[in-house]
Amino acid sequence: MVSVKVKATRIHQLISCGVKSMEFILREAERLIQKHKTRNPFEIADCLNINVLYRPLGKLKGIYIYTRRSRYICINNDLDSPARRLVCAHEIGHDRFHRHLAKMNPQAQELISYDMSSKPEREANIFAAEVLLPDNEVIKLINDAEMNFFRAARELYVPPELMDFKFQILKNRGYRLEAPLNATGDFLKKARPRSRALWFL
């Protein structure tokens, strides 16, 4: 019982120490966009040698797997094209910022699964919002008098929650914006996988 508490504390410390600032996340997203000359997450994954697979995952939308020095993004094959795109971008965020957690030993993985719903998910969502939603496109839409927040999200083929993350980014850059919702980091998550070797949405 004592050893489990120690492991859980150690995992919490690892997650806390690994928290990335918004600026750090945005710089990495911009670096990848500039280096690979694309915002397409599938093309970015290919350039990073991350294998993208489609599998029946039930309610789970996607997972990031690191095993034997190979990286995989598994996407639920029931998702439509815009959702696949979002999941791929989100999981690349985990690859960039949380691979150290996916490398942890199996016992630790089981404990991590109870403490992953906030900071790592938020960081992956910030990354996905920056990759998928260029500033100029979002600003152009929200400046349209006939366009509201939810319509703008539909125009950009993203859920409103991801648009909220983009609003947070733009506010960080000095724009005065308010979203009509407050998205949580785990808005994509539907179910948790049972495997200990998986990083999940």
Side-chain angles (χ1 to χ4, degrees):
M1 189 72 167
V2 174
S3 63
V4 171
K5 286 183 180 177
V6 170
K7 286 178 186 176
T9 302
R10 175 63 179 148
I11 289 162
H12 177 72
Q13 289 169 348
L14 281 169
I15 291 171
S16 298
C17 292
V19 172
K20 310 296 184 289
S21 71
M22 183 179 287
E23 290 77 15
F24 181 87
I25 296 166
L26 299 178
R27 279 198 304 272
E28 177 62 9
E30 187 59 29
R31 186 187 73 79
L32 290 176
I33 291 163
Q34 294 299 320
K35 180 177 180 179
H36 303 300
K37 298 181 175 21
T38 183
R39 288 181 177 273
N40 183 320
F42 299 103
E43 292 176 6
I44 293 172
D46 186 55
C47 291
L48 295 173
N49 296 314
I50 303 172
N51 302 287
V52 178
L53 310 171
Y54 299 92
R55 297 288 185 268
L57 299 176
K59 292 182 179 179
L60 191 67
K61 292 183 179 178
I63 52 178
Y64 173 71
I65 302 170
Y66 181 92
T67 181
R68 298 179 183 176
R69 298 187 181 180
S70 294
R71 294 124 70 212
Y72 301 89
I73 291 172
C74 290
I75 300 173
N76 191 320
N77 58 9
D78 289 335
L79 297 181
D80 62 17
S81 182
R84 288 181 179 193
R85 189 169 154 265
L86 169 54
V87 169
C88 187
H90 177 98
E91 298 299 348
I92 292 171
H94 284 316
D95 176 75
R96 296 289 85 192
F97 309 121
H98 310 124
R99 198 183 313 170
H100 64 289
L101 296 177
K103 287 180 182 179
M104 295 179 79
N105 66 64
Q107 278 186 314
Q109 282 287 348
E110 186 175 3
L111 291 169
I112 287 173
S113 68
Y114 297 104
D115 198 16
M116 277 190 174
S117 64
S118 55
K119 293 183 180 98
E121 294 301 310
R122 175 177 164 73
E123 292 168 358
N125 288 328
I126 290 169
F127 178 86
E130 182 65 5
V131 168
L132 298 177
L133 300 171
D135 289 7
N136 59 338
E137 289 186 24
V138 174
I139 292 164
K140 181 180 176 182
L141 282 173
I142 61 177
N143 282 336
D144 183 335
E146 296 181 6
M147 188 69 62
N148 65 36
F149 176 88
F150 295 99
R151 281 190 61 193
R154 282 196 301 272
E155 287 283 324
L156 294 167
Y157 300 99
V158 297
E161 292 86 354
L162 195 73
M163 182 68 93
D164 177 54
F165 278 99
K166 186 61 183 187
F167 268 42
Q168 292 174 39
I169 292 167
L170 291 172
K171 284 170 70 173
N172 188 62
R173 289 177 172 151
Y175 290 92
R176 300 180 75 176
L177 301 167
E178 290 301 326
L181 57 85
N182 186 15
T184 59
D186 62 349
F187 78 90
L188 286 171
K189 193 187 310 182
K190 291 294 183 187
R192 293 181 175 179
R194 296 187 183 276
S195 171
R196 295 176 177 179
L198 307 180
W199 181 276
F200 54 93
L201 284 170

